[in-house]
């Protein structure tokens, strides 16, 4: 890109005022934009009524060549939703508790300056967006996107039970408390699901998770085969029975996915125990999945509650979002 082309484009920042230190963010963005010889940056604040979609559309209407999302996972998801298939790149200044997409893209989490430098001097990477069409308990049909993971059942109940004050104090570890609060009340529920239009399969589950990518806070490789750019959703159907079942899932996520998969010997050990694992956690892959619930269940996207739903259709929108990543 020539110097004259740089000067003819500008960035926009969509920021959550509760999550960011605005003075530091403004100074960092100004320095990075000046170094890259971009025009003056435009600024758009989110609010309770607009978590980022409307602000991002305003940025697009003003001709932004790039939108920096500065906030938590909810802000990142909202900005991505508005940028879907627009061709305008998104950069991330991680400022939340989970920072899920930033972790999966291996972006710096603790430095505003490092994040803004990547925004203005990094490279473009097309990634998929997950798209969820849900039928609410009241019968309304809504469409939302997600970047990392959608969840039904216990996963969503955990989000609902996580205390905001604890998240501010201990970060992502607050979700452990959320699990402890949700687990005693959790009950298996019946669903029918179909992957890529195949025949419906019935199941009784405690949770079902649909991932666009697989890394969670604490470096937990929940679904290690999930990729952000493969046009595929990775699905986990959780059917544990009692405490032993949950311990088996925990062992699989922490030990097998996190340690054994790194070596050929470890992968053979996983294959040898695969049948017993499948009884508590079945993994599937496909470009789309349809789920019908016998009774309405809690639903979440990228760590945000979306209430009770009765039906969910999810698919991968391949290459729908361009993100800025380090120039290696």
């Amino acid at each position: 890109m020539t110097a004259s082309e740089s000067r003819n484009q500008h960035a926009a920042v969509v920021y959550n005022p509760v999550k960011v230190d605005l003075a530091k963010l403004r100074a960092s963005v100004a320095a990075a934009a000046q170094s890259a010889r971009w025009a003056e940056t435009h600024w758009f604040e989110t609010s309770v009524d607009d978590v980022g979609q409307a602000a991002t559309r305003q940025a697009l209407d003003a001709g932004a060549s790039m939108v920096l999302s500065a906030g938590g996972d909810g802000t990142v998801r909202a900005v991505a939703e508005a940028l879907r298939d627009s061709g305008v790149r998104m950069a991330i200044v991680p400022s939340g508790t989970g920072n899920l997409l930033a972790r999966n893209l291996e972006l710096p989490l603790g430095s505003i300056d490092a994040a803004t430098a990547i925004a203005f001097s990094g490279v473009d990477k097309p990634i998929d967006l997950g798209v969820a069409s849900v039928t609410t308990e009241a019968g309304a049909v809504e469409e939302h996107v997600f970047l990392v993971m959608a969840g039904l059942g216990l996963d969503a109940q955990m989000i609902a039970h996580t205390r905001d004050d604890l998240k501010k104090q201990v970060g992502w570890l607050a979700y452990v408390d959320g699990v402890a609060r949700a687990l005693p009340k959790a009950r298996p529920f019946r669903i029918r699901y179909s992957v890529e239009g195949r025949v419906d399969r019935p199941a009784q589950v405690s949770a079902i998770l649909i991932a666009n990518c697989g890394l969670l806070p604490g470096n937990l490789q929940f679904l290690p085969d999930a990729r952000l750019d493969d046009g595929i959703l990775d699905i986990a159907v959780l059917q544990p029975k009692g405490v032993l079942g949950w311990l088996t899932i925990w062992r699989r996520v922490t030990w097998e996915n996190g340690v054994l998969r790194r070596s050929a010997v470890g992968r053979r050990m996983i294959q040898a125990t695969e049948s017993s694992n499948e009884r508590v956690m079945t993994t599937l892959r496909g470009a789309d999945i349809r789920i019908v619930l016998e009774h309405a269940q809690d639903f979440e996207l990228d760590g945000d509650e979306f209430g009770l739903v009765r039906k969910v259709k999810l698919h991968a929108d391949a290459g729908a979002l361009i993100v800025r990543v380090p120039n290696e």
Side-chain angles (χ1 to χ4, degrees):
M1 184 180 296
T2 66
S4 61
E5 287 174 330
S6 296
R7 286 192 292 270
N8 287 332
Q9 62 180 351
H10 74 269
V13 179
V14 174
Y15 67 95
N16 182 338
V18 176
K19 297 283 188 178
V20 304
D21 184 324
L22 187 55
K24 287 183 179 179
L25 181 62
R26 281 187 177 275
S28 184
V29 169
Q34 184 177 18
S35 177
R37 298 185 178 181
W38 282 46
E40 184 177 355
T41 301
H42 296 190
W43 292 79
F44 301 88
E45 182 177 304
T46 68
S47 65
V48 174
D49 295 327
D50 169 41
V51 295
Q53 289 95 335
T56 303
R57 286 191 289 269
Q58 291 176 30
L60 291 176
D61 291 343
S65 300
M66 174 174 65
V67 178
L68 285 76
S69 175
D73 291 321
T75 306
V76 174
R77 194 196 64 78
V79 171
E81 188 165 82
L83 290 179
R84 178 185 174 190
D85 293 323
S86 70
V88 174
R89 67 201 74 158
M90 180 178 78
I92 304 171
V93 182
S95 308
T97 302
N99 300 312
L100 297 175
L101 182 61
R103 292 176 191 274
N104 280 271
L105 291 171
E106 299 183 348
L107 299 177
L109 301 181
S111 170
I112 293 176
D113 290 342
T116 58
I118 290 169
F120 287 94
S121 63
V123 294
D124 293 342
K125 176 182 175 62
I127 66 170
D128 307 336
L129 283 177
V131 182
S133 176
V134 304
T135 301
T136 69
E137 187 178 31
V141 178
E142 303 172 354
E143 184 174 276
H144 308 281
V145 308
F146 62 99
L147 293 150
V148 178
M149 198 169 293
L152 278 163
L154 180 63
D155 172 64
Q157 294 161 18
M158 173 199 73
I159 300 297
H161 284 83
T162 299
R163 292 161 42 198
D164 289 337
D165 61 329
L166 198 59
K167 286 167 65 175
K168 293 178 182 177
Q169 295 173 30
V170 299
W172 66 268
L173 288 172
Y175 293 115
V176 176
D177 178 72
V179 171
R181 291 170 176 270
L183 199 54
K185 299 178 181 179
R187 298 291 182 272
F189 55 94
R190 291 191 172 278
I191 64 170
R192 299 194 320 274
Y193 67 94
S194 171
V195 178
E196 294 189 333
R198 295 192 284 271
V199 175
D200 280 7
R201 297 179 61 179
Q204 181 165 291
V205 306
S206 292
I208 182 165
L209 296 102
I210 302 92
N212 192 34
C213 50
L215 182 66
L216 298 178
N219 274 334
L220 293 179
Q221 287 284 359
F222 186 75
L223 288 165
D225 293 328
R227 298 290 181 268
L228 277 163
D229 57 0
D230 60 1
I232 295 294
L233 296 175
D234 287 69
I235 303 150
V237 182
L238 305 187
Q239 299 170 290
K241 293 183 179 178
V243 174
L244 184 60
W246 287 111
L247 288 175
T248 301
I249 291 173
W250 179 251
R251 185 198 66 190
R252 177 169 177 174
V253 171
T254 57
W255 174 244
E256 294 183 9
N257 294 350
V259 179
L260 294 184
R261 282 182 181 272
R262 298 175 185 174
S263 69
V265 173
R267 289 191 289 273
R268 286 196 294 270
M269 291 173 63
I270 292 172
Q271 290 174 357
T273 59
E274 198 166 23
S275 61
S276 61
N277 282 339
E278 285 180 352
R279 287 197 292 269
V280 296
M281 178 175 168
T282 304
T283 56
L284 307 162
R285 308 189 80 222
D288 61 77
I289 180 172
R290 178 175 59 87
I291 305 167
V292 179
L293 300 112
E294 185 175 62
H295 302 290
Q297 296 292 329
D298 290 289
F299 184 61
E300 65 91 6
L301 294 171
D302 289 347
D304 282 338
E305 300 174 62
F306 278 81
L308 296 171
V309 300
R310 297 191 65 91
K311 297 179 184 177
V312 186
K313 297 179 181 178
L314 307 104
H315 74 272
D317 191 353
L321 182 68
I322 301 170
V323 294
R324 295 291 268 181
V325 296
N327 187 1
E328 298 179 350

